[in-house]
Amino acid sequence: MTSKTQPGNYFEDFTVGQQIVHATPRTVTDGDLALYTALYGSRFALTSGASFAESLGMPGMPVDPLLVFHIVFGKTVPDISLNAVANLGYAGGRFGVPVYPGDTLAATSEVIGLKQNSNGKTGVVYVRTTGTNERGEMVVEYVRWVMVNKRDQDAPAPETVIPDLPGAVAIDDLQVPFEVTGDYDTTLAGSPFVWDDYEVGEKIDHVDGMTIEEAEHMIATRLYQNTAKVHFNQHVEGQGRNGRRLIYGGNIISLARALSFNGLANAQYVAAINGGSHTNPTFAGNTIYAWSEVLDRLEIPGRTDVGALRLRTVATKDRSGADFPLKGDDGKYDPSVVLDFDYTVLMPRR
Amino acid sequence: MTSKTQPGNYFEDFTVGQQIVHATPRTVTDGDLALYTALYGSRFALTSGASFAESLGMPGMPVDPLLVFHIVFGKTVPDISLNAVANLGYAGGRFGVPVYPGDTLAATSEVIGLKQNSNGKTGVVYVRTTGTNERGEMVVEYVRWVMVNKRDQDAPAPETVIPDLPGAVAIDDLQVPFEVTGDYDTTLAGSPFVWDDYEVGEKIDHVDGMTIEEAEHMIATRLYQNTAKVHFNQHVEGQGRNGRRLIYGGNIISLARALSFNGLANAQYVAAINGGSHTNPTFAGNTIYAWSEVLDRLEIPGRTDVGALRLRTVATKDRSGADFPLKGDDGKYDPSVVLDFDYTVLMPRR
Amino acid sequence: MTSKTQPGNYFEDFTVGQQIVHATPRTVTDGDLALYTALYGSRFALTSGASFAESLGMPGMPVDPLLVFHIVFGKTVPDISLNAVANLGYAGGRFGVPVYPGDTLAATSEVIGLKQNSNGKTGVVYVRTTGTNERGEMVVEYVRWVMVNKRDQDAPAPETVIPDLPGAVAIDDLQVPFEVTGDYDTTLAGSPFVWDDYEVGEKIDHVDGMTIEEAEHMIATRLYQNTAKVHFNQHVEGQGRNGRRLIYGGNIISLARALSFNGLANAQYVAAINGGSHTNPTFAGNTIYAWSEVLDRLEIPGRTDVGALRLRTVATKDRSGADFPLKGDDGKYDPSVVLDFDYTVLMPRR
């Protein structure tokens, strides 16, 4: 009689080159889209209205790329990060073919790097995760690295392999799933400001704040079938360091993106996640604000209808983004800063 | 470099005759219907089961008219009421062609009246809002008036224009989207009492109470893409007059309507919103009750299968509706009364 | 003018042989499935991904049988248990044809037993409830018995009729809606352990715990259109014995089932509910754990691809299932035990 439960993988269970097929293919439906709207209040026209999406040459409302990311990410948790100490970062996130309601998402990961920490108790695991639809087409891929416990501290350290981490996703690697053929309706989109109007270095305070409740972040995180224990179990977390359940960082990404509508309404589609860090934990009761900086304004080869903006969006807790809080004089993140997110959006041109 | 965020309109930004096209067309799906049921517990058979709707000659389950109203209303908030001090009332609400899952809703408003207040700091803006589907057909229209701040108190007052506010929607203006051709199944509908059984002046206590949580009203209000700040930001509201987030009044309307099933189960469809006031604020933790009075029983021209009831439904907080609380001897609303709602429902006849 | 509200039935309103048609046929949609995932975090592959379901010969993702049960159960509450003192038990629960999004569920009950209690104030009502789809096909049937108040204590006692309560559902009575024709993908299903690997008497701790919030259990219970007052009204319950709203027991069943994925991932489908008791109440703030025991391992006549496991799954509150808490030396349930559930699942064979 063998133990039937899944203990998750420990540091010594990973080998470079290992391929991991994650469980539970997940069909995304209109129900998920409605919940996503209800949980974050996103208002971008492309992912909100079928008629708007059709006017941009898509067959219907695409699933928000961040929802795709969360579902794929959730699948990897039982295999990659169930015994993780910390989510260290991600990079090179790129969205592939758009996802529509009815598509079934699955995920696989390849271990691309390993480095045991000097304390001998933990190590860093680097994986490249690929999400696919039911036709095997790539819908998202990204690299992430996590610090994972060793099961046995006496287990020998593996050879250190640190992968070349991708920088910002190259403009040639972006998928542009929509096109502007006629007049683009900035009124229906919610802002007169299009790609041409943004300047590199420009900072935008997104003004509004949103308080998060326990029920909300747990409903969202379960929707993504993300099983990380710290989000759900007050009986255990109440005894822990924080005394509270931790909010899944992806909730903050989606909330910041929804808030960014006020100032970036024409950023219709997230095409890439260049990198990101969850710089401080968030808990129920926190009010999340966001501000953004335009890091780059990029022409897309062969396209004059749509351009790309590389953005940094910073989310804060219980502090307005009006003065663009980021780091202190010591170079460390301000305690109010909970997310520093580097990503690329697609925006119609004039 | 221009400010990219939307400050909302101030009193002096409005002119009589102005047409405002609101942003973010929104496709309503089965996901929205499930959330609506989950948030309010509505049990009316016509909007709950496709087979029941088909037995009344509809092609499938229609979207609850109040959900249509909330979505259209939500679209108007960034343009009309972002700088509002108070929602003063609405009138003349009329539902047009029924909405089905898959339809995309959009909204426009016309400014039909303006009146600066004597304090010179605020003014009342009257708008007529029209919601349409993707074919441009009217799905709902209504008048509302809000008190809005002036940006600059020295700005000159506009000419006062007070529109003729519609009274109850005329019986000839009601759309009746279903018909009873064979036997109407009162058992499946949940009550033996049909149009013929109600008397003008009759009062009905709907008995049950429902407590509202923060997560619930915020999930609902975001589902409607309603961005009014007071509902979402505890960090700011905690410092304000109430110390708490305010619940969107529409949530109370929908909750009262759901509670009214117990006593009005055959009121299958809301055809008109004649008027309504949110007479006291509601907050998370409040338990909502409701009672109704039959204001009028109306025959629909040319129809013997379906009649109309004009109802007043009153919602209370933390007080049962058993003794029909409404106003005190001073003519003011009882502090427990949070909604006084005048609307017209369609009900099969015997 | 008659009272229009439904008082629910009292003990003396029931007669053996009585047929009750419950109100509000309910169309199940993709929206309900998304909410079910979001509320419990279920990860079983068959009910999560259309492509997986299709690989097992089904036309698409079936609706989780427990969701079907909750919806049918919810319909019976206004007629059977609105005046109930206690839900005493259920037995003989059997799932019929699978339900798919778009199906409309309705419910009828037959009174099959009555026994007045010796105190003369209450009695036990036994009903057999049948849920059907819009084609009249049975989707679930079960027996439950509840203790119901008498309206008039002087009303004469009816003849006592105690029905033969079904034991475990017979293996010949199970519907097996899927088949394994090619290779069954245990990796996508989330566990290498199939029917052959489980032993009678084997106990499995499902490890994880999930804390329940007020908003979550109310959203779920309203989704099922279950109107039992104790779940919703803090204004009244705050004055009652518990001082709090009670969580609908079905939420605990679904949560325990979702937690059981860790250890029973291949238990793709619940085919029968043999019996179950809610042994202690649960409230918001409780953290639910679960463990299971294999009661029986059964071959299905004529099938070598799929077998059945009869399971006992026990849910606990605020106590881990690691040491399999159940009863004390006095034979009474441990205060932490909230559910003792006996059911039969279908699992692929090697």
Side-chain angles (χ1 to χ4, degrees), chain A residues 176-193:
Chain A
V176 183
F178 66 93
E179 59 180 337
V180 183
T181 49
D183 282 344
Y184 175 76
D185 192 329
T186 54
T187 305
L188 288 183
S191 167
F193 303 107

Side-chain angles (χ1 to χ4, degrees), chain B residues 34 38-39 42-43 48-51 187-188 190 193 197 202 205 208-211 213 216 262-263 287 289 318, chain C residues 1 3-6 21-27 31-32 104 215 218-219 222 225 227 229 232-236 245:
Chain B
L39 289 163
S42 178
R43 290 183 286 148
S48 189
S51 55
T187 305
L188 288 182
F193 303 106
D197 301 316
E202 181 175 358
D205 171 28
D208 301 309
M210 184 80 73
T211 308
E213 302 295 318
E216 293 170 339
N262 194 358
T287 300
Y289 295 86
D318 301 334
Chain C
M1 193 167 86
S3 168
K4 299 295 193 301
T5 50
Q6 305 298 316
V21 176
H22 306 294
T24 311
R26 166 86 154 75
T27 302
D32 298 297
T104 300
M218 293 200 299
I219 287 173
R222 281 188 301 251
Q225 298 177 314
T227 58
K229 300 164 197 274
F232 298 114
N233 185 328
Q234 182 59 27
H235 183 233
V236 164
R245 283 158 278 178

